[in-house]
Amino acid sequence: VEQKQQQQQQQQPKCRLCFAGSIVAKQVIMGGDGTNQYRRAVPLSSDDQFNLAAFGDYSESFSFDVGCGLPGRVYHMGVPTWEQSVHNAPLHHFERVGGSQQWGIRTVVGIPVPSPNVGRVVVILYSRHDRPKDHDMVIRLTDEFTRLLPSPKWKLVVDVGKQEQQQQQQQQVAQQEQQQDVTAASPPSEDPAALSSEVISIFGEHMPSDPSSPAFAYLQGFMSLRLLLLRQNRGVQEQDLVNTMLSSYSSYKAGGRTPADIALMLARDFMFLSQQQQQQQQQSVVPPPNGN
């Protein structure tokens, strides 16, 4: 009987959740977080718009089995969830924790919504603020989304080939998505010297000079990466970091990003990876024994 049940489970088609897209709101609600301030809507800053849009693009490369990841758990249980401090969550609980750290995502709300043709969809809201849980808000959101009657189309994915090869390919994709160790970076497929020249040229054209510009906050990333690319002699970790940045540049360029966006994203990535590298070095330092 157990063997028959296993065979039936293997024959059942698998459902995998994919992101249908994302959109960034134009306003953000401030106040009303336990202080005496009234809630008010203010325009979303250009920096917040960029970060939220970047996280939305980043999320579209992920998909989840039913019951796995935040979208998969909400889909499986059919119960809303409100999670705070996702940038500190363990990887098995929130797989996109690397992206949440890079783009400042703090609070995630998942809402299951009935759908007339696919059964259920999951709407996820993200905030760069640490929002306290609001049960009444969840109820209002659920009612509002349910009235919309979302009717997406099924996305059919056909697996061709041996099962072992498919599992190996899936493992390789998962490792590539979750890998954040800059020391494992490999050289880009294109000519590194040519790519370096392109990045140096773009940085020269789009180096922020206006202190009121959101990009000015990443001026240190612009300058440090440009100087690193101009240097001929680099250490092993520095070269790995350069390889990572050049690979990112190739991906952004292939994705049709504008030179200004590419320059800002590279400066941001460089600052994030540099900080991560410093933290790894500090953790690897063994403290001296006490003399007591």
Side-chain angles (χ1 to χ4, degrees):
V1 177
E2 291 182 357
Q3 184 177 2
K4 184 177 180 180
Q5 290 178 347
Q6 292 177 356
Q7 291 177 352
Q8 291 177 349
Q9 291 176 355
Q10 292 176 355
Q11 294 175 357
Q12 291 178 352
K14 291 185 177 180
C15 176
R16 192 166 181 86
L17 280 71
C18 300
F19 279 89
S22 60
I23 189 172
V24 179
K26 301 300 182 182
Q27 293 181 321
V28 59
I29 304 298
M30 304 298 294
D33 53 355
T35 64
N36 293 327
Q37 297 179 350
Y38 292 101
R39 288 185 178 181
R40 65 190 190 281
V42 298
L44 196 67
S45 67
S46 57
D47 186 54
D48 283 343
Q49 290 183 25
F50 177 86
N51 281 283
L52 290 169
F55 185 76
D57 294 340
Y58 164 80
S59 296
E60 290 184 14
S61 63
F62 285 79
S63 61
F64 301 90
D65 286 328
V66 175
C68 298
L70 187 145
R73 292 195 301 271
V74 174
Y75 182 89
H76 178 65
M77 300 299 295
V79 178
T81 183
W82 188 305
E83 301 190 9
Q84 300 171 257
S85 302
V86 293
H87 62 295
N88 293 326
L91 183 62
H92 63 84
H93 185 74
F94 191 70
E95 296 183 6
R96 292 164 292 159
V97 62
S100 67
Q101 292 174 352
Q102 182 171 359
W103 289 295
I105 304 300
R106 295 291 179 266
T107 305
V108 180
V109 179
I111 307 290
V113 182
S115 172
N117 62 333
V118 298
R120 179 182 294 158
V121 299
V122 179
V123 178
I124 305 182
L125 309 176
Y126 303 95
S127 174
R128 301 188 74 231
H129 300 271
D130 193 13
R131 303 288 190 183
K133 295 183 179 180
D134 189 333
H135 181 67
D136 293 336
M137 176 66 74
V138 172
I139 294 177
R140 291 198 299 270
L141 288 173
T142 302
D143 292 341
E144 186 67 26
F145 291 150
T146 301
R147 293 193 189 99
L148 299 176
L149 291 176
S151 303
K153 296 180 180 179
W154 283 102
K155 180 179 180 180
L156 179 63
V157 178
V158 180
D159 293 332
V160 180
K162 296 181 179 179
Q163 184 175 3
E164 295 181 356
Q165 293 178 349
Q166 296 171 4
Q167 292 176 351
Q168 292 177 357
Q169 292 175 355
Q170 293 175 356
Q171 292 175 356
Q172 291 175 357
V173 172
Q175 290 174 358
Q176 291 174 358
E177 291 177 346
Q178 298 175 2
Q179 183 177 12
Q180 296 182 6
D181 187 356
V182 297
T183 59
S186 58
S189 57
E190 300 180 49
D191 182 14
L195 292 178
S196 297
S197 299
E198 292 180 17
V199 174
I200 293 172
S201 176
I202 290 177
F203 271 30
E205 295 177 7
H206 301 282
M207 184 82 66
S209 57
D210 184 4
S212 63
S213 171
F216 194 80
Y218 307 100
L219 178 61
Q220 185 62 42
F222 277 90
M223 298 176 61
S224 298
L225 178 55
R226 189 170 186 272
L227 290 174
L228 182 59
L229 292 173
L230 290 170
R231 281 169 46 190
Q232 299 296 327
N233 298 324
R234 309 186 188 105
V236 176
Q237 291 185 341
E238 291 177 334
Q239 185 59 49
D240 287 339
L241 190 53
V242 168
N243 291 339
T244 301
M245 301 312 303
L246 295 181
S247 296
S248 297
Y249 169 69
S250 298
S251 299
Y252 294 150
K253 186 174 66 171
R257 297 279 186 175
T258 65
D261 286 346
I262 292 176
L264 181 58
M265 295 173 70
L266 288 178
R268 186 193 303 267
D269 293 349
F270 180 77
M271 292 178 64
F272 173 75
L273 293 175
S274 297
Q275 292 175 359
Q276 190 179 52
Q277 198 175 66
Q278 291 175 0
Q279 292 176 358
Q280 292 176 353
Q281 291 174 351
Q282 292 174 357
Q283 293 174 359
S284 63
V285 174
V286 180
N290 290 331
N292 297 337

